[in-house]
Amino acid sequence: MARSGPAVVYRRPRPPVAGQPPARIPGQPRPDLRSAGTAGPPGPRTQAGRLTGAEERGGARTGGHNPALDGVRALAVLCVLVFHMDSLSGGYLGVDVFFVLSGFLITKQLLAERDRTGRVSLRRFYLRRAYRLLPAFWLLALVGLTTVVVLGIGTAGERDEFLDSLAASMFYLNNYFQVVRQSTGAGWLGHTWSLSLEEQFYLLWPLVLIVLCRRPRLVRRLPLVLLGGAVAVALWRNVLTSFGASGTRTYFALDTRADALLVGCAVAAWLRAARRGASGENGAGAGGAAKGGTGEDGAALAWRRRLDRVTAVLPVAGPVALALLAVAAVTAPGSWGPRPTVLSHGGYTVVALLAGAVVLALELGPRTSWLFRALAAPPLAWLGRISYGFYLWHFPVVAHWGHDLTGALGRWPAILAVGLISVALAAASYYLLERPVQRHRPAGISAG
């Protein structure tokens, strides 16, 4: 059972040593050595501060809402839309970007809660997910049910197909339903397989995280543990493929697609470890002292140097990763039929790692960078905020109007029209349903 609160260990202050500042009791603010007029060379913490001075002046993010990630989400959902309009062969890789972002944001939230309260509340987590996801989904399901079943629009076969997909989606099993029998859900629910896969992962992930956090050795190596999990998923996918598993099986199933989610989780865990380590938390001082180092200051300096090394390459690595994702969206195989593609042999993991590099660049890089400013542009960030509703509604719009609009307007004008209709429906869902529901959620259940 998780601890009810963070453990507090009191250490007797060491007697002051000549030429050194007095020891600090945990919880007290650190003294400003510069204003105290201390003589002599700067200590490790002062050096570390100088190492990251450029980062601070550049406005590097240290947490909170990141509008540039909303922009990434918007680009991902637009790629999926264009793919479903048969105009971007690898646009479905936008779903992989969604998985990485989802793993990152949810794990960041869970770890922040544990750092703040000493535990992870499963009740709050699952309620946050329900309040965030269910209202918009139920609205789509209700509209589809009314159209197909109550009003009887469509054939009897389409009605049965819709009801089967609705049952699978309501129980978050649509991804495995797609493995057994691919279905569009009469043009309403075929895309909800990704929601099913995510929710299966988040049914298990908080429990696994709680177990990992009870073991100090594992929690100290959490980023490596999670990356190891992503590699294990990639290897398992290769094993299944070598034994004849279909591309459909490896594309839709949780056990063969969780690598993207785990990469996002690993990015969140690494950022937490880096920021806590650089500030002298995480028990770094004790570890440094045990190894004969300089204690907390030396460990913090080591973490800051690691951050500096990573931050130094991100201005190049972030744009390059985004460009490679764009290339993949244009050149990736356009289907996942019975025959596996190169994506089944590690390609999905590479796409996830590229998306993770973009997330790192936007989290650690300065807000003044062109990449951040481009992705955080207000129209793009706004579309990212309503992207869940956009994803839900674009599929039935494409299925029922996409072909006719393409015939009447041409390919790209039809894509624009479908996009505008989807934006209107998503905005209505967001402002008239999703936000009011969030405002009336129970006290203590923060927005998820």
Side-chain angles (χ1 to χ4, degrees), residues 412-444:
W412 288 102
I415 290 172
L416 178 61
V418 167
L420 291 175
I421 295 169
S422 302
V423 165
L425 292 171
S429 172
Y430 182 74
Y431 290 108
L432 300 179
L433 176 65
E434 296 171 56
R435 286 186 65 179
V437 168
Q438 289 290 336
R439 284 197 297 267
H440 289 87
R441 64 184 181 269

Side-chain angles (χ1 to χ4, degrees), residues 170-312:
M170 293 289 286
F171 289 99
Y172 289 109
L173 295 172
N174 191 277
N175 56 327
Y176 286 102
F177 179 72
Q178 297 291 341
V179 172
V180 176
R181 188 182 77 202
Q182 282 198 265
S183 167
T184 67
W188 287 91
L189 300 170
H191 60 320
T192 60
W193 71 268
S194 63
L195 307 181
S196 297
L197 190 149
E198 281 195 12
E199 291 312 302
Q200 290 160 17
F201 182 81
Y202 290 123
L203 181 65
L204 302 173
W205 170 232
L207 300 171
V208 173
L209 182 62
I210 290 172
V211 172
L212 290 175
C213 287
R214 287 178 177 175
R215 290 162 172 76
R217 288 186 178 181
L218 292 179
V219 78
R220 283 197 298 268
R221 298 170 177 81
L222 189 57
L224 288 177
V225 170
L226 294 172
L227 281 179
V231 171
V233 171
L235 292 175
W236 171 241
R237 187 167 56 230
N238 277 323
V239 168
L240 290 181
T241 300
S242 65
F243 278 93
S246 68
T248 303
R249 163 68 174 85
T250 57
Y251 184 78
F252 288 110
L254 172 65
D255 61 310
T256 52
R257 294 304 306 279
D259 48 343
L261 288 153
L262 288 170
V263 167
C265 297
V267 171
W270 187 86
L271 279 174
R272 169 186 176 267
R275 286 167 174 163
R276 285 168 60 88
S279 63
E281 301 177 25
N282 268 341
K291 295 177 181 179
T294 57
E296 182 178 353
D297 287 341
L301 177 60
W303 268 110
R304 285 186 180 269
R305 284 174 173 163
R306 293 172 197 166
L307 271 175
D308 286 339
R309 285 195 294 268
V310 172
T311 304

Side-chain angles (χ1 to χ4, degrees), residues 57-379:
R57 288 192 297 273
R61 301 188 60 82
T62 57
H65 179 71
N66 187 337
L69 296 183
D70 289 332
V72 174
R73 190 182 287 111
L75 292 179
V77 79
L78 287 174
C79 286
V80 175
L81 165 68
V82 181
F83 166 74
H84 282 144
M85 289 292 289
D86 297 325
S87 299
L88 187 62
S89 63
Y92 58 90
L93 294 177
V95 173
D96 293 72
V97 176
F98 269 125
F99 287 160
V100 173
L101 284 170
S102 186
F104 171 75
L105 294 170
I106 292 297
T107 304
K108 180 181 176 182
Q109 186 179 64
L110 289 172
L111 290 174
E113 179 184 3
R114 184 178 183 276
D115 291 339
R116 187 176 63 252
T117 67
R119 61 189 295 268
V120 171
S121 170
L122 295 177
R123 173 181 174 274
R124 281 199 298 268
F125 174 77
Y126 293 127
L127 280 176
R128 280 196 303 265
R129 298 296 292 174
Y131 273 85
R132 175 70 183 92
L133 299 177
L134 291 182
F137 170 76
W138 283 347
L139 176 62
L140 173 68
L142 180 62
V143 173
L145 185 69
T146 302
T147 302
V148 178
V149 178
V150 178
L151 299 180
I153 298 176
T155 66
E158 289 174 334
R159 182 192 61 206
D160 294 340
E161 184 181 272
F162 173 82
L163 291 174
D164 289 342
S165 292
L166 179 61
S169 299
M170 293 289 286
F171 289 99
Y172 289 109
L173 295 172
N174 191 277
N175 56 327
Y176 286 102
F177 179 72
Q178 297 291 341
V179 172
V180 176
R181 188 182 77 202
Q182 282 198 265
S183 167
T184 67
W188 287 91
L189 300 170
H191 60 320
T192 60
W193 71 268
S194 63
L195 307 181
S196 297
L197 190 149
E198 281 195 12
E199 291 312 302
Q200 290 160 17
F201 182 81
Y202 290 123
L203 181 65
L204 302 173
W205 170 232
L207 300 171
V208 173
L209 182 62
I210 290 172
V211 172
L212 290 175
C213 287
R214 287 178 177 175
R215 290 162 172 76
R217 288 186 178 181
L218 292 179
V219 78
R220 283 197 298 268
R221 298 170 177 81
L222 189 57
L224 288 177
V225 170
L226 294 172
L227 281 179
V231 171
V233 171
L235 292 175
W236 171 241
R237 187 167 56 230
N238 277 323
V239 168
L240 290 181
T241 300
S242 65
F243 278 93
S246 68
T248 303
R249 163 68 174 85
T250 57
Y251 184 78
F252 288 110
L254 172 65
D255 61 310
T256 52
R257 294 304 306 279
D259 48 343
L261 288 153
L262 288 170
V263 167
C265 297
V267 171
W270 187 86
L271 279 174
R272 169 186 176 267
R275 286 167 174 163
R276 285 168 60 88
S279 63
E281 301 177 25
N282 268 341
K291 295 177 181 179
T294 57
E296 182 178 353
D297 287 341
L301 177 60
W303 268 110
R304 285 186 180 269
R305 284 174 173 163
R306 293 172 197 166
L307 271 175
D308 286 339
R309 285 195 294 268
V310 172
T311 304
V313 302
L314 289 178
V316 174
V320 168
L322 186 61
L324 290 174
L325 286 173
V327 171
V330 174
T331 61
S335 64
W336 50 86
R339 298 183 62 182
T341 67
V342 65
L343 291 171
S344 299
H345 298 283
Y348 292 123
T349 309
V350 172
V351 169
L353 291 171
L354 291 173
V358 174
V359 171
L360 267 181
L362 297 175
E363 282 287 298
L364 286 178
R367 302 182 191 183
T368 54
S369 71
W370 69 266
L371 181 65
F372 187 96
R373 287 186 285 111
L375 292 173

